[in-house]
Amino acid sequence: MYEHIEKVRTDSSDNIQNTIPPDMINKTHQSDSRDLSEIPDSSIHLVVTSPPYNSRKLYDDDLTLHEYLSLIKEVFESIFPKLVDGGRIVINLANIGRKPYIPITDYVSHIFREIGFVQRGEIIWDKGASAGSSCAWGSWKSSSNPVLRDVHEYLLVFSKGTLKRHKGERNDTISKTEFMEYTKSIWRFNTVSAKKIGHPAPFPEELVYRCIQLYSFEGDVIFDPFMGSGTTGLVALKTNRKFLGFELNRDYVDLANDRTELYLLNRKYG
Ligand SMILES: C[S@@+](CC[C@H](N)C(=O)[O-])C[C@H]1O[C@@H](n2cnc3c(N)ncnc32)[C@H](O)[C@@H]1O
């Protein structure tokens, strides 16, 4: 049960970094993330993602908890060989349900450790006033059955192999102030409007920015297996990284590519 604690490596990672084919890089592909056979092994440095929530949203097939966790297991088992030694994953999750409460984060951490990832930590994203004010109090002003109204989500952080990345010639881009702030386990920033972005569950650029700054070097490859509207790709480009995105839904693939291509055009001619 505790083998994963004994196995943890802290030596510098090896430096095997295979190259992603040029026609795949900086694009979102209409592909199912359960099959990553097109991606070379040891080619991804960081994954930042939020899987589909297991609640009725436009893109969900209303999966049972078992089906949902099987999807997570299949996708992240496929990702394991694609990460470089020391590569990282940050997965954004919200716990759901009240009858009973379903600690998705608990299940997912367990699955990740079974796959062989080493957990680095757990960040609480305090969404504050932007969290939306659910009125599902349970028993109003009574201890009979009060219900918690979550104003936070989680970011679970994992490494493959060793906790320490081999830096080589690569540069850090994080500032002193950012480092002091982002290494705290509670992050506070607002959500982003689904309507404005055109996707039912986008995460804010700030979330991706912090993960990229803290957990990757300039020039690294950032992968999002559930790319949605392309936020991960956009921030990867803004921070001088490369990206690769997989997304099932054709409309979201187009939205993601529009966002990243527009940014690249503006950078070139703007
Ligand atoms: C929570 S959303 C991601 C939103 C994204 N972080 C953003 O900022 O827009 C999850 C996405 O995963 C996609 N998805 C679900 N199952 C998938 C699979 N097997 N392979 C690839 N994408 C999938 C859904 O279509 C949905 O757009």
Side-chain angles (χ1 to χ4, degrees):
M1 186 180 179
Y2 302 112
E3 293 127 353
H4 64 278
I5 297 175
E6 285 149 31
K7 273 192 275 180
V8 174
R9 280 171 51 210
T10 52
D11 57 319
S12 239
S13 60
D14 68 36
N15 198 21
I16 300 170
Q17 305 187 48
N18 294 318
T19 312
I20 307 233
D23 59 326
M24 286 194 82
I25 208 72
N26 289 345
K27 284 190 191 101
T28 297
H29 304 263
Q30 187 175 22
S31 305
D32 189 325
S33 292
R34 284 171 285 197
D35 176 8
L36 304 182
S37 50
E38 284 174 75
I39 303 177
D41 285 353
S42 304
S43 62
I44 290 164
H45 301 95
L46 171 67
V47 171
V48 183
T49 196
S50 70
Y53 294 158
N54 192 32
S55 62
R56 285 175 190 275
K57 288 247 161 107
L58 282 177
Y59 49 76
D60 282 334
D61 299 326
D62 208 19
L63 307 171
T64 63
L65 180 61
H66 178 73
E67 286 164 342
Y68 177 77
L69 295 174
S70 301
L71 169 71
I72 299 284
K73 187 163 189 271
E74 261 189 87
V75 169
F76 289 92
E77 263 174 358
S78 313
I79 287 178
F80 192 85
K82 308 300 169 190
L83 278 176
V84 299
D85 189 37
R88 285 86 187 253
I89 295 186
V90 185
I91 179 169
N92 168 222
L93 294 162
N95 290 334
I96 55 167
R98 287 296 179 270
K99 295 174 186 170
Y101 182 68
I102 303 170
I104 298 274
T105 46
D106 220 23
Y107 292 108
V108 170
S109 300
H110 185 76
I111 289 171
F112 272 54
R113 287 194 298 266
E114 270 186 352
I115 295 173
F117 292 108
V118 181
Q119 191 151 8
R120 302 183 66 91
E122 206 169 85
I123 297 158
I124 292 178
W125 168 26
D126 174 356
K127 300 189 286 183
S130 71
S133 47
S134 154
C135 293
W137 313 94
S139 57
W140 168 247
K141 279 187 78 185
S142 165
S143 300
S144 133
N145 185 20
V147 168
L148 288 174
R149 300 172 303 135
D150 286 7
V151 292
H152 70 285
E153 293 188 12
Y154 296 87
L155 298 169
L156 307 182
V157 192
F158 298 87
S159 279
K160 171 185 166 180
T162 178
L163 295 172
K164 194 169 173 188
R165 275 280 309 281
H166 173 84
K167 188 163 182 266
E169 302 288 299
R170 293 184 185 238
N171 292 322
D172 285 296
T173 53
I174 194 163
S175 69
K176 179 181 159 198
T177 323
E178 287 176 341
F179 190 82
M180 283 168 64
E181 196 54 36
Y182 302 172
T183 46
K184 291 180 189 160
S185 62
I186 299 182
W187 290 357
R188 280 190 195 90
F189 48 84
N190 288 346
T191 55
V192 68
S193 155
K195 202 170 156 196
K196 198 171 142 202
I197 303 290
H199 185 282
F203 48 28
E205 287 188 33
E206 177 78 19
L207 183 154
V208 184
Y209 178 81
R210 289 176 177 229
C211 299
I212 288 182
Q213 288 289 74
L214 190 59
Y215 291 118
S216 74
F217 299 121
E218 202 170 33
D220 276 356
V221 176
I222 319 294
F223 177 53
D224 190 338
F226 302 108
M227 185 57 113
S229 65
T231 316
T232 302
L234 191 60
V235 182
L237 294 176
K238 288 183 179 179
T239 50
N240 291 327
R241 273 71 170 171
K242 296 175 213 143
F243 79 91
L244 183 62
F246 274 24
E247 165 60 51
L248 272 185
N249 181 302
R250 183 73 248 169
D251 291 342
Y252 302 149
V253 171
D254 291 343
L255 174 62
N257 283 324
D258 284 352
R259 287 178 85 199
T260 50
E261 279 162 25
L262 186 65
Y263 172 77
L264 285 173
L265 276 176
N266 279 336
R267 192 161 78 176
K268 196 166 172 191
Y269 301 110

